[in-house]
Amino acid sequence: MAAVSDPPPPFAKTYIRDHSFQLLRDLIWISLLGTLAYTVLSPTDPSLMPQRMVVVVPLILGLLGAWWLIQRQYLRLASVLVISILWLVLASSAAIGGGLRAPAFAGIPLVVIMAGILLGRRGALTISLLSIGTGALFVHFADSLPPPPVPHSPLAWFITYALYLLLAARMIIQIVSHFHQSMQETDKELSERKAVEQQLRLSEEKFARLFDSTPFPTLIVRLDDNLILNANAACRGFFELSSDQIIKQQIEHLDWSELSSRWPTIVDTLRREKTVGEVEFSFCRRDGTTCYARLTAEIVELQEGLCAVVALQDVTLLRRANERLIELAGRQEQLATLAREALASTDLNALFAVAAEQIVQTLPMRGVEFIDIDGDGNITIRNTLGKVPALPVPESFFRGLPVDHPGWSTLPAPLAERATDVARHGAVMLIRGHQRLFGALLVYTSTTLDAEAVFFLHSVANVLAVALERFHAEQERRQIESQMLQTQKLESLGLLAGGIAHDFNNLLTGIMGHTSLALIDLPPNHELQPHLTAIDQAAQRAAELCHQLLVYAGRGQRSLEVVDLSTLVREMGNILWLPTNRSHQVTVHYDLDANLPPILVEASQIRQVVLNLLTNAIEAIGERSGSVTLKTGVVSLNATDLRRLRLMPTISPGDYVTLTVSDTGIGMEEATLRRIFDPFFSTKSKGHGLGLAAVQGIVRRHNGAIRVESTPGLGSTFTVYLPVAHQATPVVTTNTTMPIVLHGTALIVDDDPAIRATLNRILERAGMITTEAADGRAALSVLTESALNIDIALVDLAMPGMNGIELLAVIRRRIPQLPVLLMSGNAGEVTKDNLPLDHYTDFLPKPYRSRDLLEKMSMLLQRVAGIAYPRQLRSR
């Protein structure tokens, strides 16, 4: 490969220019000195001085003009001006001085030499021809030429020739100096050229080695015939061809590469823009693999002609990486679409269908199925797409898996055996939440899944897990809202029932108290006795109604005892009966566990729960034949079980005794199920809607829960959960058959005058002295300022200003051992659980009979005094 020659150095032209400048300057100075010397020293007739000045003055002016041009670097023009003036002056002087015999004509050869030096061959030839022509004219017209005005004396010839000799010597010296300096410069130039050539050869060798060792495949192609002049070693290794198969071959013969078909377009672009970049083409290797290269080319001028240096870069990995990035971007877009669908969708089946479509569109799958796993590990196939196995999923396969299990990138053995008729490969991705396993994603393929496909499936499973977590959280939120709404309803009903019960109980206390007094005063066979007894019974039923209203709201006074639920239900079976027109249509079955742990409950309220549930079950069967089953048992519930059961209300994990009442009735729809516990809601035309509300209130007060399952046309099942009693509570029994006699002084504290009057009459008839106070502060005044010795205080809890609890606290600070009997018409808010009851304090709910009051006071006084009072009522 030939190297490109560098242009000659510019110092030669610079030297010639400097030499011409020096020679021209010397010529001008010598000419000026010679002219002045000739003018002054040459003898002449004074009358001829004007003629001489006509020649001398233009000569001097011309030389000075040439000097001005030299100062402004116009060397060529100055040279022409000097040569022209000198020749004209000498020719004119020769014409008037005798022609060829004039001394001036002898200086014309010097002008020719100077013209050759300053103006080159053309200048010398021009001046020579003019001089020869002028000499020929002088010869031809020799007789006609005027004689010289002044005879040429030897001195004149001496001065003239001396001037010519000086000028010639100066020119020869300049020429010789120029020659020697030219020789030196030539030698120097030759030495430098040799050094440059040596460096050029070394550079060419380095370039050749660099060209051959560069890691990028590089070609040199002649553009005229598309011939490959050279190819480095990287190029030979890049195409897996030998040098003979590449070098001296035309690109059109490279049929294994797409470059041959695209080369004409590349050449057109090169000729137009001198460079080409970022051109990709494909080529085949020996093993048949298709690879890709990127081309960059530039035009260079070489000895062989106009060529293109073509650099190549293998971009196969980069192109495949870009294709993979595009594929991954598509997968990310699929995941983003699925995530948006998961956020917007409330239908899990639709969400799973979208997820299956996204998987099939992204990966070459034969089949996809989604497995739903409930809290107990039960398996249900929710959605399928494509070809999936016909055999069911093994029930025990997903049981016992930890929540953080990563899944399987290949089919496990039990699932691989199940999918033998579908595919040999696949993966199982678990759909797991923070606390439990929601399900699994199963995919079936013909080939092994790579890591990126497994990652994509993991991402899909994570998106579905988030959606399921949100779905279940939304369900729990709705359940909590429903429970809160139910609680608010019960609280509202409780407030209403408490207010009604307080006022009614105060009224009934007066009615029952006065009735009791009247019955005591009348003889046994008096004609008013039956009427008073009827009034007392009606008041008692009204009191029971108030108590029932409090029970519906989950309130009321509690009297807890340890019972066996199976025994309680079995005892009720002896007294339960069906209407005569239904006894042959409805059958009641009992499935009672004989080894139940005890429960701490209010037995009467639990009996009411059993009775209400049984009554609802019988009424749900209607006029058809059917059966009702009462079943008891015990279960241990953990947090997962509680989430799965969705009990109302929520309860804590632990051991519970269950009561299940199932019927084969008409069942209930979803809308009815949501409202069955609402107060005053009933599906029966004559129903009051308080039965199930009371059941839920009772269960709630016992820290239990209730679950309802119903299918329209198949029946309903109610399951009550009551906590197991781990500590037995003794049952306090009272003997109310013996009469009581009281004495002493009693302080009555109540804001209701009717209540105070009734209590006064009851206690006075029982033999006690009474004093009254309308509020707490008045009671404190009686206790501290009265001369009476108070033996017992009867205190109403609900009073304006200082209530009963506050008054009791002051009494305990001042008179710690004073017996105090608290009373209230709203027993739901002041049960024994939240009253400061002790050895000196007891509680009696309103309304009450006079006998109940006297018995409670007698027991309190006996407990405080530690003596046995005669248990006999004083009759009057």
Side-chain angles (χ1 to χ4, degrees):
M1 181 178 64
V4 180
S5 299
D6 294 332
F11 68 85
K13 291 184 179 180
T14 302
Y15 172 75
I16 294 173
R17 183 180 179 85
D18 294 341
H19 173 73
S20 300
F21 174 79
Q22 184 65 32
L23 182 62
L24 186 60
R25 187 177 60 179
D26 293 344
L27 178 61
I28 292 172
W29 282 110
I30 293 174
S31 299
L32 287 173
L33 291 175
T35 301
L36 292 175
Y38 180 79
T39 303
V40 174
L41 299 178
S42 177
T44 184
D45 189 356
S47 60
L48 298 176
M49 186 59 66
Q51 297 177 354
R52 178 172 292 181
M53 295 305 295
V54 170
V55 177
V56 170
V57 171
L59 178 61
I60 293 174
L61 292 176
L63 293 174
L64 291 176
W67 178 260
W68 182 82
L69 292 174
I70 290 174
Q71 297 301 321
R72 283 155 181 78
Q73 302 297 323
Y74 297 114
L75 296 181
R76 182 76 177 175
L77 186 59
S79 300
V80 172
L81 180 60
V82 169
I83 296 300
S84 300
I85 291 176
L86 288 177
W87 188 83
L88 290 174
V89 169
L90 291 176
S92 301
S93 299
I96 64 175
L100 295 177
R101 293 174 294 174
F105 192 80
I108 288 178
L110 293 176
V111 176
V112 174
I113 295 173
M114 287 186 291
I117 295 173
L118 296 176
L119 301 178
R121 289 178 296 178
R122 291 184 181 179
L125 183 60
T126 301
I127 298 300
S128 298
L129 293 177
L130 290 175
S131 300
I132 291 173
T134 302
L137 292 175
F138 286 163
V139 173
H140 182 71
F141 298 102
D143 297 335
S144 302
L145 293 175
V150 178
H152 298 292
S153 63
L155 180 60
W157 282 100
F158 174 76
I159 293 173
T160 301
Y161 282 108
L163 181 63
Y164 290 163
L165 289 174
L166 290 173
L167 184 59
R170 179 61 182 171
M171 291 176 62
I172 291 172
I173 291 172
Q174 286 288 101
I175 293 172
V176 172
S177 175
H178 170 67
F179 176 76
H180 286 292
Q181 191 169 359
S182 298
M183 291 296 294
Q184 293 176 357
E185 294 294 338
T186 301
D187 290 340
K188 181 179 179 181
E189 181 179 356
L190 290 175
S191 299
E192 292 178 353
R193 187 175 184 86
K194 289 180 180 180
V196 169
E197 289 178 352
Q198 181 66 23
Q199 293 178 357
L200 183 60
R201 284 193 298 271
L202 295 175
S203 177
E204 288 179 349
E205 292 176 359
K206 291 180 180 180
F207 175 75
R209 289 195 300 270
L210 179 63
F211 174 79
D212 198 57
S213 62
T214 181
F216 293 102
T218 306
L219 298 172
I220 297 179
V221 183
R222 188 162 57 199
L223 299 181
D224 293 338
D225 53 3
N226 298 330
L227 189 66
I228 300 175
L229 300 179
N230 202 351
N232 63 354
C235 189
R236 295 189 291 271
F238 180 74
F239 291 114
E240 296 181 344
L241 297 174
S242 63
S243 300
D244 296 338
Q245 293 175 310
I246 300 177
I247 300 176
K248 302 306 179 180
Q249 300 292 329
Q250 290 184 333
I251 287 185
E252 288 83 357
H253 297 161
L254 303 179
D255 54 356
W256 43 266
S257 172
E258 191 184 4
L259 179 61
S260 59
S261 60
R262 303 188 62 178
W263 182 252
T265 304
I266 296 174
V267 172
D268 293 340
T269 306
L270 276 173
R271 294 185 183 277
R272 184 174 61 255
E273 300 180 4
K274 307 302 181 183
T275 183
V276 171
E278 304 299 327
V279 177
E280 289 191 9
F281 63 93
S282 62
F283 64 94
C284 293
R285 298 191 184 273
R286 290 183 177 179
D287 58 359
T289 305
T290 301
C291 299
Y292 299 91
R294 183 175 295 169
L295 176 148
T296 301
E298 290 189 3
I299 289 182
V300 295
E301 183 71 34
L302 300 180
Q303 184 177 1
E304 291 82 356
L306 194 63
C307 299
V309 178
V310 181
L312 306 174
Q313 181 184 3
D314 189 352
V315 294
T316 303
L317 297 179
L318 179 61
R319 179 161 179 157
R320 291 174 180 171
N322 290 334
E323 293 175 353
R324 177 62 69 180
L325 287 176
I326 294 174
E327 181 180 355
L328 293 178
R331 294 183 180 181
Q332 293 298 324
E333 180 62 27
Q334 299 284 4
L335 289 175
T337 302
L338 181 60
R340 290 191 293 269
E341 184 69 23
L343 291 176
S345 177
T346 57
D347 186 357
L348 292 181
N349 290 329
L351 176 61
F352 285 130
V354 172
E357 292 178 359
Q358 299 286 6
I359 294 174
V360 173
Q361 291 176 5
T362 305
L363 302 175
M365 297 293 168
R366 299 196 64 185
V368 179
E369 60 181 343
F370 293 95
I371 304 300
D372 183 77
I373 305 174
D374 61 13
D376 295 332
N378 297 321
I379 297 175
T380 304
I381 299 178
R382 179 180 286 272
N383 292 83
T384 61
L385 183 66
K387 190 175 181 181
V388 296
L391 295 176
V393 179
E395 285 291 336
S396 61
F397 180 73
F398 292 102
R399 295 184 186 273
L401 285 179
V403 177
D404 57 350
H405 193 280
W408 294 268
S409 58
T410 58
L411 287 177
L415 297 182
E417 295 174 358
R418 172 176 173 263
T420 52
D421 59 334
V422 174
R424 298 180 57 188
H425 304 280
V428 181
M429 302 295 138
L430 298 182
I431 304 173
R432 57 184 182 270
H434 292 293
Q435 297 182 351
R436 79 174 186 89
L437 187 64
F438 293 124
L441 164 64
L442 277 67
V443 296
Y444 305 98
T445 64
S446 301
T447 58
T448 305
L449 294 172
D450 56 12
E452 294 177 356
V454 172
F455 177 78
F456 176 75
L457 294 175
H458 267 300
S459 302
V460 172
N462 290 335
V463 171
L464 294 177
V466 172
L468 287 171
E469 194 85 45
R470 183 180 63 85
F471 178 78
H472 287 285
E474 182 67 19
Q475 284 188 329
E476 291 181 1
R477 183 188 65 80
R478 292 177 181 175
Q479 181 182 359
I480 293 173
E481 289 180 353
S482 177
Q483 293 174 355
M484 291 179 62
L485 179 60
Q486 186 68 20
T487 302
Q488 291 173 359
K489 289 179 180 179
L490 292 175
E491 291 294 336
S492 301
L493 183 58
L495 292 175
L496 176 62
I500 295 174
H502 178 269
D503 294 337
F504 269 84
N505 285 334
N506 282 336
L507 296 175
L508 293 173
T509 299
I511 295 173
M512 294 172 66
H514 285 288
T515 303
S516 299
L517 293 175
L519 289 173
I520 294 174
D521 292 340
L522 290 176
N525 298 322
H526 195 277
E527 60 181 0
L528 296 179
Q529 190 83 21
H531 302 291
L532 293 174
T533 303
I535 294 173
D536 183 69
Q537 292 175 353
Q540 182 64 32
R541 286 197 297 271
E544 292 176 356
L545 180 61
C546 290
H547 177 72
Q548 185 71 13
L549 186 62
L550 289 173
V551 169
Y552 290 156
R555 307 164 72 90
Q557 186 183 8
R558 303 178 67 186
S559 178
L560 301 179
E561 56 183 304
V562 176
V563 300
D564 182 281
L565 184 60
S566 295
T567 303
L568 186 146
V569 175
R570 189 179 297 108
E571 290 175 353
M572 289 192 66
N574 298 326
I575 62 174
L576 290 175
W577 57 274
L578 297 176
T580 56
N581 61 336
R582 301 296 315 284
S583 58
H584 64 285
Q585 295 177 343
V586 177
T587 304
V588 179
H589 300 282
Y590 295 93
D591 183 7
L592 305 179
D593 191 341
N595 297 315
L596 286 181
I599 55 176
L600 183 63
V601 296
E602 189 171 355
S604 61
Q605 293 189 359
I606 300 303
R607 291 188 183 96
Q608 183 179 346
V609 169
V610 177
L611 180 60
N612 286 348
L613 292 179
L614 181 60
T615 302
N616 280 351
I618 295 173
E619 292 177 350
I621 296 175
E623 300 299 329
R624 303 177 302 166
S625 298
S627 63
V628 177
T629 301
L630 282 78
K631 180 181 179 181
T632 58
V634 60
V635 294
S636 180
L637 301 178
N638 54 31
T640 303
D641 297 329
L642 294 176
R643 283 195 303 270
R644 175 176 55 84
L645 294 175
R646 299 176 183 174
L647 301 178
M648 289 286 292
T650 56
I651 54 178
S652 303
D655 297 330
Y656 290 87
V657 172
T658 62
L659 168 64
T660 303
V661 180
S662 303
D663 64 72
T664 58
I666 60 174
M668 292 177 286
E669 298 178 349
E670 183 66 27
T672 304
L673 278 175
R674 288 196 296 266
R675 300 190 59 191
I676 58 174
F677 295 111
D678 290 351
F680 311 111
F681 173 78
S682 176
T683 58
K684 298 181 286 292
S685 60
K686 297 182 180 181
H688 49 69
L690 290 177
L692 290 180
V695 168
Q696 189 184 53
I698 294 171
V699 171
R700 181 168 171 266
R701 290 193 65 200
H702 287 83
N703 299 321
I706 187 169
R707 183 188 184 197
V708 183
E709 299 174 283
S710 184
T711 303
L714 299 180
S716 304
T717 300
F718 288 78
T719 304
V720 176
Y721 296 82
L722 297 173
V724 172
H726 297 286
Q727 293 181 352
T729 302
V731 180
V732 178
T733 60
T734 59
N735 187 0
T736 61
T737 60
M738 299 181 64
I740 300 173
V741 176
L742 300 177
H743 59 80
T745 302
L747 172 62
I748 302 171
V749 186
D750 199 306
D751 61 328
D752 191 337
I755 298 296
R756 295 200 303 270
T758 302
L759 291 176
N760 275 324
R761 296 191 62 183
I762 294 174
L763 297 181
E764 287 176 355
R765 290 178 181 274
M768 298 194 73
I769 301 172
T770 62
T771 182
E772 301 179 13
D775 54 35
R777 299 189 183 280
L780 290 177
S781 299
V782 173
L783 289 172
T784 56
E785 300 175 2
S786 175
L788 294 175
N789 186 18
I790 304 299
D791 295 303
I792 187 170
L794 282 66
V795 178
D796 185 42
L797 291 178
M799 294 186 296
M802 179 183 292
N803 60 32
I805 299 297
E806 295 171 348
L807 176 60
L808 176 64
V810 177
I811 291 174
R812 286 290 168 257
R813 289 197 299 270
R814 297 183 182 183
I815 312 174
Q817 298 181 355
L818 178 65
V820 177
L821 179 61
L822 301 175
M823 296 179 293
S824 175
N826 188 1
E829 294 183 354
V830 289
T831 62
K832 294 180 180 180
D833 296 335
N834 55 14
L835 285 178
L837 302 182
D838 54 22
H839 188 71
Y840 301 97
T841 309
D842 207 343
F843 173 73
L844 178 64
K846 297 178 183 178
Y848 47 79
R849 294 186 178 92
S850 59
R851 185 183 187 87
D852 298 333
L853 173 64
L854 296 176
E855 289 178 352
K856 183 67 73 172
M857 292 176 62
S858 175
M859 287 187 294
L860 179 59
L861 290 171
Q862 290 181 54
R863 187 168 67 241
V864 172
I867 61 174
Y869 287 102
R871 295 181 177 272
Q872 179 180 2
L873 288 174
R874 180 178 299 177
S875 60
R876 302 197 174 194

